[in-house]
Amino acid sequence: MARTATAFAPGHVTVFFAPFPDDDPSVAGSRGAGVALSDGVTVTVRPTAERAVRLNGEPASLEAVDRVLDALSVTAAVDAETPLPVGAGFGVSGAAALGTALAAASAFDLAHTENRLVRTAHAADVEAGTGLGDVVGQFRGGMPVRLEPGAPGHGDLDGLPARPRIEYVSFGELSTPAVLGGDLAPIRSAGEAALTRLLDDPTADGLLAAGRTFAREAELLAPDVAAAVEAAGDAGGAATMAMLGRTAVGLDTALSDAGYDADACRVHPTGATVVGDG
Amino acid sequence: MARTATAFAPGHVTVFFAPFPDDDPSVAGSRGAGVALSDGVTVTVRPTAERAVRLNGEPASLEAVDRVLDALSVTAAVDAETPLPVGAGFGVSGAAALGTALAAASAFDLAHTENRLVRTAHAADVEAGTGLGDVVGQFRGGMPVRLEPGAPGHGDLDGLPARPRIEYVSFGELSTPAVLGGDLAPIRSAGEAALTRLLDDPTADGLLAAGRTFAREAELLAPDVAAAVEAAGDAGGAATMAMLGRTAVGLDTALSDAGYDADACRVHPTGATVVGDG
């Protein structure tokens, strides 16, 4: 019997990545690593006669969410709420897609396993051009490491056990499709090197150090983000750039110690899940 | 710098299983499915000069915990606290081992990934003879499905997205080594059939139905548990036996509706993690 259901998916900041596009969106993805955030997207799915998608109370066009509803063959009102900025590297599209898949499975009593729902959301995010690895990281939670690209059944994950406080400062949007439409070879090569470096030092500090080297080598560092990362380092903290957004992310009090008016949250310990129905 | 750290690992009830022993404890494991519980084991690890392991405040011998400390080469006081009965099918050994691994990594700043820590705890639980799949289920959380046996790098997991209320009643201990020391062929065959059945109907009700058939086919059903499962069904609910323990586990109010004085908890949504240090 259809009913309203709610799911939560953490935000996800990619710290470095090596993109692996593929015609099959379940196979496509990225190797890399990032941080799942306690700030995320809460998605409520309500069975209705006509589809309606809202973001923070306003009608919104979220292609990844539409693709999930299509793939699951359900008609629903989807309400996504998030404190995170959109288009700034927090994986809001992926979180909205994953939250929609999990909540819709509960609302419509779909007999699908979690891997199938994650695969559906990952494929939707890939096909919408809004993410290549956020969804699998958001489902795992913590500080996810993407050992092999792709959805469950294709990819392979690990994670760092650390759960530090996280700060972030956003300076505006960056177009994911524009960056991913260019020459991927230098990004992939820098991303592979960063993963090797991280697995030699799988700690929170090791992650951010690998990210800083990646951002420089892949020539993705935005000037305002570079200034914040440098200032955090000068103040004795660790920060790096969120891929892909004009956003700096730091450990503990790295950005506020450097004088930035940073938002703060925690590492989301354990990933996306249905949080309520009825 | 060494410091005190705390981790939480959910209890885990196996609903059905197909055992796959192996000389390599990371390869050994089971296919099957179960439920991670919000009732679990909280483990505090404190660096000390001499090892001391306590369970609910009393000195205790927990072989799986000792093996984790050995494998990680650390000396510590380990305090495990749990409301769950020991030896009754809740995976307390596995949770204590996994909690010890995660908390020790934080306490001693070990540069290990999550997969390595889960592998260490899984191998310790297998070698202690106290579990063949609890640890990987406790790390994933939710309603874990063990598609392939073994630790990360060998096994493969899926899960059911449902997060129902859970009730349980325990009638006493059952010796895991005694059962797993007998002829495994009929158990494996019943477990494989149950997994096929579950993947055809991957829902909470489908899980418990597969468990009831498994318990009957594998001839593992204890009489007092059988009576509780039957009474729950007569009262319109769904229950089954926790493997391996003289314990009945049910969905929502299945056991209390049948007149049993059941403990209640939730499905633990998302698995074990460090919860604090300092």
Side-chain angles (χ1 to χ4, degrees):
Chain A
M1 198 182 60
R3 60 187 180 280
T4 298
T6 301
F8 174 82
H12 179 256
V13 166
T14 285
V15 168
F16 64 81
F17 70 106
F20 287 86
D22 195 283
D23 287 343
D24 179 342
S26 294
V27 173
S30 55
R31 305 179 78 196
V35 183
L37 305 177
S38 59
D39 285 354
V41 183
T42 300
V43 182
T44 299
V45 169
R46 186 166 41 87
T48 46
E50 277 190 51
R51 181 182 302 181
V53 178
R54 299 163 74 91
L55 179 64
N56 293 332
E58 301 293 327
S61 170
L62 291 170
E63 184 181 338
V65 168
D66 282 326
R67 286 182 175 273
V68 167
L69 295 173
D70 289 344
L72 297 177
S73 303
V74 297
T75 306
V78 175
D79 276 285
E81 298 277 344
T82 183
L84 294 169
V86 177
F90 292 97
V92 169
S93 293
L98 180 56
T100 298
L102 292 169
S106 177
F108 292 93
D109 279 331
L110 304 177
H112 294 344
T113 69
E114 290 177 334
N115 286 2
R116 178 165 169 186
L117 296 168
V118 175
R119 209 150 44 225
T120 298
H122 172 87
D125 200 28
V126 167
E127 291 190 306
T130 42
L132 273 176
D134 288 323
V135 169
V136 296
Q138 285 160 335
F139 186 69
R140 183 179 177 106
M143 304 183 86
V145 179
R146 305 191 299 283
L147 299 174
E148 298 298 339
H154 303 284
D156 192 19
L157 293 170
D158 198 342
L160 309 182
R163 299 289 181 263
R165 181 176 185 272
I166 300 290
E167 289 189 342
Y168 57 86
V169 177
S170 212
F171 303 97
E173 296 195 19
L174 194 73
S175 167
T176 301
V179 174
L180 295 182
D183 180 10
L184 296 182
I187 299 179
R188 189 180 303 161
S189 145
E192 298 276 14
L195 183 56
T196 301
R197 223 171 287 127
L198 175 64
L199 293 177
D200 280 342
D201 179 21
T203 63
D205 283 329
L207 172 65
L208 268 68
R212 287 190 297 271
T213 306
F214 167 80
R216 204 168 51 236
E217 289 182 1
E219 297 182 7
L220 290 170
L221 204 52
D224 35 17
V225 177
V229 169
E230 193 181 330
D234 289 346
T240 191
M241 177 175 163
M243 301 292 160
L244 290 164
R246 274 174 56 207
T247 296
V249 57
L251 300 180
D252 302 316
T253 54
L255 292 163
S256 52
D257 286 352
Y260 284 86
D261 182 19
D263 285 300
C265 66
R266 304 286 315 180
V267 173
H268 189 260
T270 50
T273 183
V274 166
V275 291
D277 58 39
Chain B
M1 198 182 59
R3 60 187 179 279
T4 298
T6 301
F8 175 81
H12 178 257
V13 166
T14 285
V15 169
F16 63 82
F17 70 107
F20 287 87
D22 195 282
D23 287 342
D24 180 342
S26 294
V27 173
S30 54
R31 306 179 76 196
V35 183
L37 305 177
S38 58
D39 285 353
V41 182
T42 301
V43 181
T44 300
V45 169
R46 186 166 42 89
T48 47
E50 277 188 51
R51 181 183 300 180
V53 179
R54 297 163 74 92
L55 179 63
N56 292 333
E58 301 292 327
S61 171
L62 291 170
E63 184 182 338
V65 168
D66 282 326
R67 286 181 175 274
V68 167
L69 296 173
D70 289 343
L72 298 177
S73 303
V74 297
T75 306
V78 175
D79 276 285
E81 298 276 342
T82 182
L84 294 169
V86 177
F90 291 98
V92 169
S93 293
L98 180 56
T100 298
L102 292 169
S106 176
F108 292 93
D109 280 332
L110 305 177
H112 295 343
T113 69
E114 290 178 331
N115 286 2
R116 179 165 168 186
L117 295 168
V118 175
R119 207 148 47 223
T120 298
H122 172 86
D125 200 28
V126 167
E127 292 191 306
T130 42
L132 273 176
D134 287 322
V135 169
V136 296
Q138 286 160 334
F139 185 69
R140 183 180 178 103
M143 304 183 88
V145 179
R146 306 191 300 281
L147 298 174
E148 297 298 340
H154 303 284
D156 192 19
L157 293 170
D158 198 343
L160 310 182
R163 298 289 181 262
R165 182 177 185 273
I166 300 290
E167 288 189 343
Y168 58 85
V169 176
S170 211
F171 303 99
E173 297 195 17
L174 195 71
S175 166
T176 302
V179 173
L180 295 183
D183 180 11
L184 297 182
I187 300 178
R188 190 180 303 160
S189 146
E192 297 276 13
L195 183 55
T196 302
R197 224 171 286 127
L198 175 64
L199 294 176
D200 280 343
D201 179 21
T203 63
D205 283 330
L207 172 64
L208 268 67
R212 287 190 296 272
T213 306
F214 167 79
R216 204 168 52 238
E217 288 181 0
E219 298 184 5
L220 289 171
L221 203 52
D224 35 18
V225 177
V229 169
E230 193 180 330
D234 290 347
T240 191
M241 177 175 163
M243 301 293 163
L244 291 163
R246 276 174 54 208
T247 297
V249 56
L251 300 180
D252 301 316
T253 54
L255 292 164
S256 52
D257 286 352
Y260 285 86
D261 182 20
D263 285 300
C265 64
R266 305 286 314 181
V267 172
H268 190 260
T270 51
T273 183
V274 166
V275 291
D277 58 40

